[in-house]
């Protein structure tokens, strides 16, 4: 058997390490790998703190506010998770519908995916272009629309628009109207355990 065939994935090795092996001192190779990891981890933390100083808030907060995504797959993954939790509630209570549209400026192709086809969006790679996601609350006649620039595969939010009965309104007014409708339909939301941003 060759060395390559004899290699076990790291994750598998970790699961089968005996207690006795855990008591053994680390080898030189293991120490070198740990040192390399720690240097990389420290560099990552330094970059993250510097970026958060520039942004004026935490990187995770920016992502939760939909200000950026790592790539299209990151956004699609977020939405798939969303529609397995709060989004599923919205589908039932507010007849919510979702669609993501991707315009690839390099190939000049356009892709469009509703909730039921989000897994197919995972197969699309766009380096430069535009992404638009639309969340429609059919029962109330509300629509939330977000537009992202795609640069080097990264998504950066450009704007968010809210429509009531087809007319654009200030975002805060639209969100407050949505909050009111959802509160009326489900009094438990008034407990404040979930913010209105969580429903978008």
């Amino acid at each position: 058997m060759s060395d390559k065939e004899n290699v076990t994935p790291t994750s598998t090795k970790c699961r089968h390490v005996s207690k006795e092996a855990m008591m053994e001192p680390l080898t030189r190779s293991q120490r070198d790998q740990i040192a390399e990891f720690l240097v990389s981890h420290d560099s990552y933390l330094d970059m993250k703190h510097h970026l958060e100083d520039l942004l004026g808030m935490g990187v995770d907060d920016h992502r939760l506010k939909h200000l950026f995504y790592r790539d299209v797959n990151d956004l699609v993954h977020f939405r798939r998770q969303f529609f397995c939790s709060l989004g599923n509630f919205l589908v039932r209570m507010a007849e919510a519908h979702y669609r993501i549209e991707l315009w690839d400026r390099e190939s000049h192709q356009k892709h469009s995916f509703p909730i039921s086809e989000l897994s197919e969006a995972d197969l699309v790679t766009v380096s430069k272009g535009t992404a638009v996601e639309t969340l429609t609350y059919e029962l109330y006649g509300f629509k939330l629309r977000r537009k992202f620039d795609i640069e080097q595969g990264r998504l950066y939010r450009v704007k968010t628009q809210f429509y009531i009965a087809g007319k654009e309104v200030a975002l805060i007014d639209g969100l407050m109207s949505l909050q009111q409708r959802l509160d009326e339909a489900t009094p438990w939301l008034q407990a404040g355990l979930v913010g209105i941003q969580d429903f978008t």
Side-chain angles (χ1 to χ4, degrees):
M1 193 182 291
S2 69
D3 289 341
K4 286 184 180 178
E5 292 171 330
N6 201 24
V7 171
T8 306
T10 305
S11 59
T12 305
K13 277 186 178 178
C14 292
R15 286 195 291 263
H16 293 91
V17 173
S18 67
K19 290 182 180 179
E20 292 79 16
M22 291 293 292
M23 301 303 291
E24 293 293 321
L26 295 170
T27 65
R28 170 53 52 199
S29 175
Q30 289 171 326
R31 291 182 185 190
D32 290 344
Q33 289 295 314
I34 288 173
E36 187 177 333
F37 165 77
L38 292 175
V39 167
S40 299
H41 186 64
D42 288 345
S43 296
Y44 161 78
L45 291 177
D46 287 344
M47 290 180 68
K48 183 179 180 184
H49 293 147
H50 178 65
L51 177 59
E52 290 179 341
D53 286 343
L54 287 173
L55 296 175
M57 71 169 68
V59 173
D60 292 338
D61 292 332
H62 260 64
R63 191 171 178 280
L64 288 172
K65 293 179 184 298
H66 312 284
L67 295 178
F68 76 90
Y69 289 92
R70 188 177 63 246
D71 53 25
V72 170
N73 291 341
D74 187 28
L75 173 56
V76 169
H77 176 75
F78 170 80
R79 282 303 174 193
R80 288 171 75 177
Q81 294 297 315
F82 175 78
F83 283 107
C84 286
S85 54
L86 286 174
N88 184 47
F89 164 81
L90 290 176
V91 169
R92 289 183 288 111
M93 295 301 297
E95 298 178 16
H97 299 279
Y98 177 81
R99 179 172 297 275
I100 182 168
E101 297 170 295
L102 306 169
W103 284 272
D104 189 328
R105 288 191 203 136
E106 295 177 331
S107 68
H108 304 292
Q109 289 184 316
K110 178 184 175 183
H111 309 275
S112 181
F113 305 96
I115 297 173
S116 59
E117 298 173 12
L118 282 181
S119 58
E120 295 178 32
D122 274 334
L123 306 175
V124 177
T125 301
V126 179
S127 295
K128 185 177 182 180
T130 303
V132 175
E133 60 170 358
T134 305
L135 187 56
T136 306
Y137 309 88
E138 200 73 43
L139 186 64
Y140 308 137
F142 295 170
K143 182 185 292 184
L144 179 76
R145 185 174 180 269
R146 284 197 185 90
K147 180 180 179 182
F148 299 86
D149 278 340
I150 305 176
E151 297 177 3
Q152 298 178 341
R154 315 293 185 215
L155 277 70
Y156 302 98
R157 192 183 76 193
V158 177
K159 63 181 176 180
T160 301
Q161 297 165 289
F162 202 102
Y163 299 87
I164 296 179
K167 181 180 178 182
E168 185 172 0
V169 300
L171 179 60
I172 189 66
D173 294 338
L175 291 176
M176 287 177 65
S177 295
L178 177 60
Q179 176 82 61
Q180 182 181 0
R181 290 297 186 93
L182 291 174
D183 281 348
E184 290 170 357
T186 52
W188 59 267
L189 287 177
Q190 296 176 24
L193 300 175
V194 181
I196 191 60
Q197 291 282 358
D198 297 317
F199 288 96
T200 68

